[in-house]
Amino acid sequence: NTKITQSPRYLILGRANKSLECEQHLGHNAMYWYKQSAEKPPELMFLYNLKQLIRNETVPSRFIPECPDSSKLLLHISAVDPEDSAVYFCASSPTVNTGQLYFGEGSKLTVL
Amino acid sequence: GQQVQQSPASLVLQEGENAELQCNFSSTATQLQWFYQSPGGSLVSLLSNPSGTKHTGRLTSTTVTKERRSSLHISSSQTTDSGTYLCAIAVNTGNYKYVFGAGTRLKVIA
């Protein structure tokens, strides 16, 4: 799937700051960040619709999303914790709550 | 409570056998989607089926909206079908959200 690209694909951190990037080439209006911990299903972290944050799950404040334009999504992480080790998926859909959900390839974060 | 429940949790098949995966949900779903995830891989959309029956290749999904259940039938299973199958629904309770089930881990052996 090259229609939703994420970078970096792999990330190993101590207690550092880092940003994950996502870009979708599908013309979708809704973009999402999901966190998938080992052996668990994806859990929604943030949802943007037309660049507006409309759902902010209860996630630690060290995770800060940003949507610079309707096709791009960033996730800034500061002072990561070992519990943050997971795969972070970007996803998009044509509109909020309708149409199929498409996923990027994920960014695997390992916290030392 | 858990909004999406999938069964069985795991399944082992001989190549060529058929599989029937179930998804039950507790909220009214405006969207329902089946995904496939290989170990360490991303989620690939298989079928979007909020109601009725849909086919693609060896896959058939049947969703009975009023009974809040969906099934995914895989015919003539192949070893490459091994992986996790996830059911996700979109619910609108004032805040829009796609909710995932825990998945069914399928292993197909030759």
Side-chain angles (χ1 to χ4, degrees):
Chain A
N1 176 19
T2 58
K3 296 180 180 177
I4 301 178
T5 55
Q6 290 188 240
S7 63
R9 294 292 314 282
Y10 299 93
L11 192 59
I12 300 174
L13 293 178
R15 288 184 64 82
N17 301 340
K18 192 64 180 178
S19 296
L20 307 181
E21 298 182 7
C22 171
E23 184 170 11
Q24 55 99 356
H25 308 277
L26 297 165
H28 289 169
N29 291 325
M31 294 189 74
Y32 313 75
W33 279 115
Y34 278 88
K35 174 184 179 182
Q36 187 175 31
S37 301
E39 305 300 316
K40 290 189 176 180
E43 294 178 307
L44 180 65
M45 298 177 73
F46 302 104
L47 159 59
Y48 276 89
N49 185 50
L50 295 169
K51 294 180 59 179
Q52 299 299 315
L53 182 64
I54 65 169
R55 184 177 182 92
N56 186 352
E57 296 289 311
T58 305
V59 299
S61 58
R62 58 181 178 274
F63 290 91
I64 300 174
E66 181 184 354
C67 190
D69 64 56
S70 58
S71 67
K72 293 181 181 175
L73 202 55
L74 306 174
L75 185 62
H76 306 293
I77 313 172
S78 59
V80 292
D81 188 270
E83 70 179 23
D84 299 334
S85 293
V87 181
Y88 293 85
F89 286 105
C90 174
S92 70
S93 63
T95 64
V96 168
N97 221 35
T98 62
Q100 293 190 48
L101 194 61
Y102 293 86
F103 280 80
E105 294 186 333
S107 294
K108 184 173 182 178
L109 171 63
T110 302
V111 180
L112 302 175
Chain B
Q2 198 170 5
Q3 288 184 289
V4 183
Q5 293 182 314
Q6 292 188 242
S7 61
S10 62
L11 185 60
V12 180
L13 297 175
Q14 286 288 133
E15 196 169 29
E17 291 183 325
N18 299 331
E20 188 85 10
L21 282 55
Q22 302 293 335
C23 175
N24 293 279
F25 42 98
S26 58
S27 302
T28 301
T30 60
Q31 181 63 261
L32 186 142
Q33 208 166 338
W34 284 94
F35 291 89
Y36 167 78
Q37 187 172 33
S38 60
S42 183
L43 287 87
V44 177
S45 178
L46 297 174
L47 282 165
S48 174
N49 188 26
S51 66
T53 299
K54 287 193 175 179
H55 306 272
T56 182
R58 294 181 292 108
L59 304 177
T60 301
S61 173
T62 299
T63 299
V64 183
T65 309
K66 63 180 180 181
E67 296 181 10
R68 296 183 178 175
R69 61 178 174 85
S70 180
S71 65
L72 180 68
H73 182 86
I74 306 172
S75 62
S76 304
S77 63
Q78 301 173 359
T79 56
T80 51
D81 294 333
S82 297
T84 300
Y85 291 79
L86 294 152
C87 172
I89 63 169
V91 298
N92 179 3
T93 56
N95 289 307
Y96 301 99
K97 184 175 182 178
Y98 277 91
V99 180
F100 282 80
T104 293
R105 286 172 179 75
L106 174 65
K107 184 174 183 179
V108 182
I109 54 179

